[in-house]
């Protein structure tokens, strides 16, 4: 049996659709109410619904063999697990954004970046050899440059409509994002046959 942690919310529906396309009957997950664990004994799977960062924690600690989680969460929290597959949904990108018509690099002082993803922001500017100050924001990060708290934000852009409706624009793309399949290091060895079967079925569904 493989226990898989599934990120609740935005990517949940697409993940379930991909598992169904791969031949796993996920009927119990359609009308789930407030239930958090779903056994699919015939499929040899058990799904656990969790918040994105917790998916990584459960997989790292080995209480889940695998997880479906966005590359955004992996980049911010990722430590020790295998990232074995791009699942081809949940496409968006990390971007450096700010007020329209402003040159982000103007001026001499260190820039201030507001973000829900301080590690991603820091890693990005470190890779460019630029020193920045990061300010952690919990949501609606777009407010920070509008209120004058930050020179820019590093955030997820999907359709771009949140930026547009608030007079903001993309300055630079930091990294592409999509949903990934991650696997616990021990499970990769101990349950190799099950993991191989799962990934080959998912791959076939993605190709078909
Ligand atoms: C995310 C992200 C942007 C928005 C981008 O926020 O932080 O604000 O979606 O999507 P768009 O390009 O399609 O407009 P989310 O909806 O998760 O809410 P939050 O800001 O409260 O975290």
């Amino acid at each position: 049996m493989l226990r898989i942690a599934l990120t609740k919310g935005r990517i949940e529906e697409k993940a379930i659709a991909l598992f169904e396309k791969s031949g796993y009957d996920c009927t119990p997950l359609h009308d789930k109410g407030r239930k958090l664990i779903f056994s699919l004994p015939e499929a040899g799977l058990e799904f656990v619904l969790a918040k994105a960062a917790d998916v990584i924690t459960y997989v790292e600690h080995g209480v889940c063999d695998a997880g479906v989680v966005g590359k955004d969460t992996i980049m911010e929290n990722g430590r020790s697990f295998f990232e074995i597959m791009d699942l081809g949904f949940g496409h968006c990108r990390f971007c450096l954004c700010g007020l329209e018509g402003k040159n982000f690099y103007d001026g001499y002082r260190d820039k201030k970046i507001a973000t829900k993803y301080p590690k991603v922001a820091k890693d990005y500017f470190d890779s460019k050899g630029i020193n920045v100050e990061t300010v952690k924001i919990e949501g609606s990060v777009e407010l920070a440059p509008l209120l004058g708290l930050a020179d820019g934000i590093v955030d997820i852009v999907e359709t771009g409509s949140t930026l547009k409706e608030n007079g903001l624009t993309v300055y630079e793309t930091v990294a592409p994002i999509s949903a990934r399949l991650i696997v616990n290091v021990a499970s990769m060895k101990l349950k190799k046959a099950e993991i191989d079967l799962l990934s080959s079925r998912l791959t076939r569904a993605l190709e078909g």
Side-chain angles (χ1 to χ4, degrees):
M1 204 266 301
L2 279 182
R3 187 183 287 154
I4 302 173
L6 207 60
T7 301
K8 285 200 279 191
R10 280 186 188 221
I11 62 174
E12 180 182 327
E13 225 170 273
K14 284 181 179 156
I16 293 167
L18 178 63
F19 277 92
E20 297 211 298
K21 199 176 171 209
S22 308
Y24 298 103
D25 178 7
C26 297
T27 309
L29 282 148
H30 290 170
D31 190 16
K32 58 184 176 59
R34 301 285 297 164
K35 220 174 134 148
L36 297 171
I37 300 181
F38 296 86
S39 280
L40 308 175
E42 278 166 34
L45 299 183
E46 184 168 71
F47 285 108
V48 172
L49 295 178
K51 285 194 82 164
D54 298 335
V55 166
I56 289 183
T57 303
Y58 291 133
V59 171
E60 279 189 336
H61 285 258
V63 295
C64 291
D65 300 299
V68 174
V69 65
K71 183 69 179 176
D72 51 330
T73 309
I74 294 174
M75 286 174 70
E76 185 64 21
N77 303 285
R79 290 168 296 256
S80 44
F81 49 79
F82 293 112
E83 180 188 320
I84 66 163
M85 196 185 290
D86 184 336
L87 295 172
F89 59 85
H91 286 290
C92 50
R93 57 194 171 124
F94 268 130
C95 295
L96 170 65
C97 314
L99 298 177
E100 245 170 60
K102 215 184 116 186
N103 183 347
F104 175 77
Y105 293 102
D106 268 357
Y108 293 103
R109 61 174 178 80
D110 282 355
K111 301 296 175 200
K112 206 190 260 188
I113 304 294
T115 183
K116 280 187 279 186
Y117 303 88
K119 181 178 183 300
V120 172
K122 186 81 177 39
D123 288 350
Y124 178 62
F125 285 102
D126 278 354
S127 76
K128 292 162 81 81
I130 296 172
N131 203 37
V132 293
E133 180 190 343
T134 58
V135 183
K136 177 86 194 291
I137 298 288
E138 296 299 330
S140 301
V141 184
E142 292 83 359
L143 282 170
L146 295 171
L147 298 177
L149 174 69
D151 302 292
I153 61 175
V154 168
D155 198 22
I156 291 170
V157 177
E158 192 178 356
T159 62
S161 52
T162 311
L163 292 177
K164 200 161 172 231
E165 287 182 33
N166 291 289
L168 303 174
T169 190
V170 171
Y171 296 144
E172 292 167 10
T173 294
V174 173
I177 296 169
S178 58
R180 308 294 162 100
L181 182 68
I182 62 170
V183 175
N184 170 265
V185 174
S187 301
M188 197 72 180
K189 283 188 194 144
L190 299 172
K191 299 191 177 180
K192 189 176 183 318
E194 291 100 313
I195 301 281
D196 284 351
L197 178 65
L198 172 68
S199 61
S200 67
R201 288 175 79 163
L202 291 169
T203 304
R204 234 177 300 133
L206 284 173
E207 288 165 355

